[in-house]
Amino acid sequence: MRFLLQEVLEEIHLPTSISTSFDIAGKEENINQISESPFSNGSSPRIYVSTNPRGAELLPPGIVVSESDFFLRRLWGEPSEDLKKKPKYLLTITVGLNQKKNIDRMVKKFSEDFQIMLFHYDGQTSQWDEFEWSKSAIHVSIRRQTKWWYAKRFLHPDVVAAYEYIFIWDEDLGVEHFNGDKYMELVKKHGLDISQPGLEPNNGLTWQMTKRRGDQENDLVHGWGLDFALRRCVEPAHEKIGVVDSQWIIHQVIPSLGSQVRARCKNEWSLFQNRLANADKAYLEEIGNR
């Protein structure tokens, strides 16, 4: 890496002081030992910040940004003028081309306050260009993966921190009775950190706790076991987790990834429960031995 950097520096003829700082960083045998003076030769700063992210220790903290986002930028003009309006929320949907008409109906239920991100499990992305909203959406294409596979790899906390709320949705949801902005009004009104719309009780696979009940609200979200652990992510859980009943959806239950998926889901649910129990036990034993 040092060789490549030096080649570039020589080609573009940077000032000697800058080139020297790279040489010092590369030749230093024990980079953790910092001299009391911030300058190694009277002009070039010599920096090592152990609290910086790995690989950025030689940069001053003021130039290191710990968070990013999915905001789209222009390739020209002033960077400060790129964004006329920053999205407040992030809507992610795991999709296949066969459901594109339903996805179009879903996306149109959300305003410009929502950044749209599609995870394509069938590898087909260019066919979505017929929709105007798709041209400003984020497209991630990796074949035959599930929404949580994508979420764990692309929705890193440091990347999604810019958004107030994140939606992680399936492609087979009916949204005739749903409005994104009204949903957010209710979520904020009731102080919910984790939530979901109520589900139509007479359609598809639905947990009893998430079924729509007229004008009432419930207190949990749906999933394959992960949701039962989410209560440990917020305090107090009975106030911060809820089902928004007045904005409800229909789960159409379309098996887009094949019949073997359900068996895998049940197996992973059991594995997750065991791993969580073992992790709890190990941690309690560790602090008990201190």
Side-chain angles (χ1 to χ4, degrees), residues 122-142:
D122 60 358
Q124 302 186 67
T125 58
S126 59
Q127 295 88 335
W128 294 80
D129 286 347
E130 66 178 270
F131 304 121
E132 190 63 30
W133 55 261
S134 177
K135 298 174 183 178
S136 59
I138 307 296
H139 296 266
V140 176
S141 178
I142 301 176

Side-chain angles (χ1 to χ4, degrees), residues 194-207:
I194 301 174
S195 67
Q196 74 157 74
L199 293 173
E200 167 58 47
N202 300 317
N203 191 282
L205 177 64
T206 307
W207 289 105

Side-chain angles (χ1 to χ4, degrees), residues 125-270:
T125 58
S126 59
Q127 295 88 335
W128 294 80
D129 286 347
E130 66 178 270
F131 304 121
E132 190 63 30
W133 55 261
S134 177
K135 298 174 183 178
S136 59
I138 307 296
H139 296 266
V140 176
S141 178
I142 301 176
R143 292 179 180 272
R144 297 190 66 79
Q145 300 300 322
T146 67
K147 66 178 180 182
W148 289 113
W149 188 94
Y150 297 112
K152 288 191 290 183
R153 289 157 178 81
F154 295 99
L155 302 184
H156 190 279
D158 291 344
V159 178
V160 300
Y163 305 95
E164 296 179 27
Y165 286 86
I166 307 163
F167 289 64
I168 304 177
W169 274 23
D170 295 329
E171 63 180 341
D172 58 348
L173 303 179
V175 291
E176 179 181 353
H177 306 282
F178 179 86
N179 178 280
D181 287 335
K182 292 181 178 179
Y183 181 86
M184 291 311 310
E185 290 177 7
L186 291 169
V187 165
K188 291 182 177 181
K189 177 182 177 181
H190 294 284
L192 300 179
D193 290 336
I194 301 174
S195 67
Q196 74 157 74
L199 293 173
E200 167 58 47
N202 300 317
N203 191 282
L205 177 64
T206 307
W207 289 105
Q208 185 66 33
M209 67 189 75
T210 61
K211 288 183 178 180
R212 180 172 176 264
R213 301 178 182 177
D215 295 327
Q216 302 176 3
E217 289 187 11
N218 298 320
D219 61 353
L220 290 175
V221 297
H222 71 292
W224 289 93
L226 180 61
D227 50 303
F228 295 108
L230 291 178
R231 68 184 184 275
R232 300 168 64 168
C233 298
V234 291
E235 287 287 346
H238 68 279
E239 294 180 3
K240 297 295 185 178
I241 302 178
V243 172
V244 179
D245 205 62
S246 62
Q247 292 293 315
W248 53 284
I249 58 177
I250 299 174
H251 194 188
Q252 300 169 352
V253 194
I254 299 175
S256 54
L257 291 177
S259 59
Q260 295 179 332
V261 172
R262 187 169 300 280
R264 171 68 179 262
C265 288
K266 292 180 178 179
N267 182 46
E268 288 191 359
W269 185 352
S270 178

